[in-house]
Amino acid sequence: MAAAEEMVGFPQAYLESGEVKETSSLVTELCRHFYTQGWVSGTGGSITIKVHDASIPKPDQLIVMSPSGVQKERMQPEDMYILSPNGSVLSAPSPKPYPNKLPKCTDCAPLFMKAYEMRNAGAVIHSHGMESCLVTMLNPQAKEFRITHMEMIKGIQGHGYYDELVVPIIENTAYENELTDSLTKAIIAYPKATAVLVRNHGVYIWGDSWIHAKTQAECYHYLFDAAIKLHQLGLDAASPEHGPIQRAIHSQNQTESTRRCIVLDIEGTTTPITFVTDVLFPYARENVGKHLNLMYDTAETQEDIKLLRSQVEEDLRQGVTGAVPVPHADEGKDEVIAAMVSNVEAMIKADRKITALKELQGHIWRTGFQCNELKSVVFEDVTDALEKWHSSGTKVYIYSSGSRLAQRLLFGNTTYGDLRKYLSGFFDTTIGNKKESKSYKEITETLGVDDPSEILFVTDVYQEATAAKAAGLEAIISIRPGNASLPENHGFKTVTSFSQI
């Protein structure tokens, strides 16, 4: 193996160390395995792994990359390139006799480096697996791949069974390195993503370690294959029920005369997202320690701690980022509160829709409203619409991931006054996940209507509208400033104001 002249901080002896050799051997072993999976056939695809060394911070560790244009299943450890943390080549393989090509580092190198730099990855895999290529062709206009309610989603970092997995799709180019800019933009635009699909080409997948990257790659390929097969059956992978693909615009024949109840979401529907993200969440985050300290011995707070402890234990089992163990009560009040604060801050940052967090937030916000430190905001069209529906005899309910207490506080303390007189009830996630159709079936049973189509559900979230529709409800999507973009051809009626309902 020929060494480069510049090896700042990494002497030749380290380049020939056991750690580097083991990582090079691992790359060859994985490439042989990936070849059997069809991910790196025809010399396509590639893999890179950082040289793990506990004495060196991950951003400063050496990088091993496979070469370009070689038979991936026949590579040997001495064929690997060794790169510095900034991507410069420190060691390159020696040329081999004809018919082998002259050595060349993988064309994926600039893209691999982006995953290392922007996501602090420990390994990156580039696959040309057939399923990763075909799944981008199901809808040539789609800029995202979406799938939900599949067990293997749990193998993707930060996702659970009920979550929707979203993978950005970028357009292919003639040369691999020309993808760097669009991949960079996708990484920025999708901070939760651990993969980027390239249309008609393949996929880039990264993880904290080679094991994590490999595990996720296997799950991604399974989910891509599942989506293709569901599509062949005429079923929608992005629907919680995986029901028939909706090819027609949602029927608008249902008239207001048959509508007995309206169920409203809050964030992005009645209330600006910015009020939640820029006012309520920061208030809860900044006051959680103070609240727990002052109210620690009350039965309510002890129940909040019990719920959060149970959630954190589940998060730790699932490997959720940001979860830290909560000490037992006999280890001290201060220790318990410090752990609670750390977990709550991580949950708020990740916008977790979980009952334990929402209950505590509601209790913190109650204090804020009582002290006049908080005043809730609704869109200007909301008050008139609520009054109109109330006068016509249409019952209006709220269904939000926030606790029922938080909902009552929000509508009882708005800049337009107390709006609770127009509302008939409140639902939160104790009735079920908002992206699951059985939650809306439960609401239907609770409201006692003869037919679920007598209920209109208004939300800004496509997955929630899809779940409600699968349960038989009429669903409309609210388009408000700051709301997330919707999938193309989503098939739902949209409104920008309640006056249009």
Side-chain angles (χ1 to χ4, degrees), residues 119 156-157 159 165-168 186-187 189-196 206 220:
R119 288 291 179 264
I156 307 301
Q157 178 180 309
H159 289 77
L165 174 66
V166 180
V167 183
I187 291 176
Y190 294 82
K192 194 176 180 180
T194 54
V196 174
W206 55 88
Y220 275 118

Side-chain angles (χ1 to χ4, degrees), residues 287-298 301 305 333-334 337-338 341:
N287 288 277
V288 61
K290 175 183 175 182
H291 174 85
L292 291 174
N293 189 60
L294 291 175
M295 309 298 292
Y296 188 80
D297 293 322
T298 65
T301 299
I305 291 173
K333 170 183 172 180
D334 292 342
I337 291 177
V341 170

Side-chain angles (χ1 to χ4, degrees), residues 373-498:
E373 294 176 350
L374 290 173
K375 185 67 71 172
S376 57
V377 177
V378 296
F379 291 109
E380 61 181 10
D381 55 271
V382 171
T383 303
D384 289 343
L386 291 178
E387 185 176 5
K388 181 186 73 173
W389 296 331
H390 182 74
S391 299
S392 69
T394 301
K395 293 186 176 182
V396 182
Y397 300 83
I398 302 298
Y399 181 26
S400 171
S401 57
S403 67
R404 285 176 292 180
L405 169 62
Q407 296 173 35
R408 290 194 294 270
L409 289 169
L410 190 149
F411 286 100
N413 298 273
T414 78
T415 52
Y416 293 94
D418 188 345
L419 303 181
R420 290 175 297 180
K421 58 188 175 183
Y422 301 126
L423 302 174
S424 299
F426 303 87
F427 298 100
D428 61 15
T429 52
T430 57
I431 204 165
N433 189 294
K434 292 185 71 181
K435 296 179 180 179
E436 189 172 2
S437 64
K438 67 180 182 181
S439 303
Y440 300 89
K441 293 176 183 177
E442 188 65 29
I443 289 175
T444 300
E445 291 293 324
T446 302
L447 297 185
V449 297
D450 295 326
D451 191 290
S453 64
E454 297 175 22
I455 304 173
L456 167 65
F457 177 56
V458 186
T459 179
D460 65 309
V461 180
Y462 167 72
Q463 296 84 2
E464 294 175 5
T466 301
K469 182 179 179 181
L473 281 67
E474 180 188 7
I476 291 177
I477 294 182
S478 171
I479 306 295
R480 301 286 196 177
N483 287 6
S485 59
L486 297 172
E488 295 182 21
N489 304 317
H490 55 78
F492 286 96
K493 178 182 177 181
T494 62
V495 296
T496 57
S497 168
F498 282 2

